Amino acid sequence: MLVIRRDLVEAMVAHARRDHPDEACGVIAGPEGSDRPLRLVEMVNAERSPTFYRFDSAEQLKVWREMDAADEEPVVIYHSHTATEAYPSRTDISYASEPNAHYVLVSTRDPEVHELRSYRILDGVVTEEPVEVVEAYEPTGAGAAGQ
């Protein structure tokens, strides 16, 4: 199950709406091993396409290095679908390379209502998971961050 703060969901949806009709993409980083998304990083869709996304390789390297330096990992990797449901395409599945990440898709095909779904993708197998949207995370002990 993906547990995610409402402000992060709203930020992903706003990014997807802003980049529509092109697909939007980005990551939400969190402390390694925490499964807690905290820091949203909007990324450039290098393809500038309504049907495909790809992180810019230089930007991706920079963002991944920043996460490494901060002991973070990509807890959520998100992108939008602009004309289809929020379900990973064959290309999305083939590019999924972070085994611990939640792959979130936001469909903006309806201008009034968005669809947001989350998946685990491991070795080409797609498993949808529930999404719980919360106002704040429950404390996890001493040093809990991102409340």
Side-chain angles (χ1 to χ4, degrees):
M1 173 190 296
L2 171 62
V3 178
I4 187 168
R5 289 190 332 240
R6 181 173 313 282
D7 64 306
L8 294 171
V9 169
E10 291 170 354
M12 284 190 292
V13 172
H15 182 200
R17 292 279 186 215
R18 195 171 53 250
D19 281 11
H20 190 95
D22 291 338
E23 291 192 3
C25 58
V27 300
I28 306 178
E32 284 183 354
S34 71
D35 201 33
R36 182 167 283 198
L38 293 176
R39 185 172 63 87
L40 187 137
V41 181
E42 294 185 4
M43 296 181 67
V44 171
N45 178 354
E47 298 297 328
R48 290 283 181 209
S49 166
T51 58
F52 184 70
Y53 88 97
R54 179 178 56 82
F55 293 145
D56 174 82
S57 58
E59 181 182 37
Q60 184 176 8
L61 181 61
K62 177 180 173 278
V63 169
W64 259 246
R65 283 183 174 165
E66 289 171 355
M67 286 189 290
D68 284 345
D71 293 326
E72 294 177 325
E73 63 184 353
V75 178
V76 169
I77 297 175
Y78 72 90
H79 75 280
S80 62
H81 281 180
T82 60
T84 60
E85 69 175 318
Y87 189 85
S89 68
R90 274 189 252 166
T91 304
D92 298 335
I93 295 166
S94 71
Y95 280 25
S97 60
E98 295 288 343
N100 296 327
H102 301 267
Y103 287 88
V104 171
L105 279 91
V106 177
S107 175
T108 56
R109 64 182 168 175
D110 183 323
E112 303 298 325
V113 179
H114 71 270
E115 177 187 13
L116 183 142
R117 296 163 72 182
S118 182
Y119 304 89
R120 295 290 195 165
I121 304 174
L122 190 58
D123 296 328
V125 177
V126 178
T127 305
E128 187 168 7
E129 62 183 354
V131 177
E132 181 182 355
V133 179
V134 297
E135 297 304 321
Y137 296 128
E138 295 293 323
T140 58
Q147 300 308 306

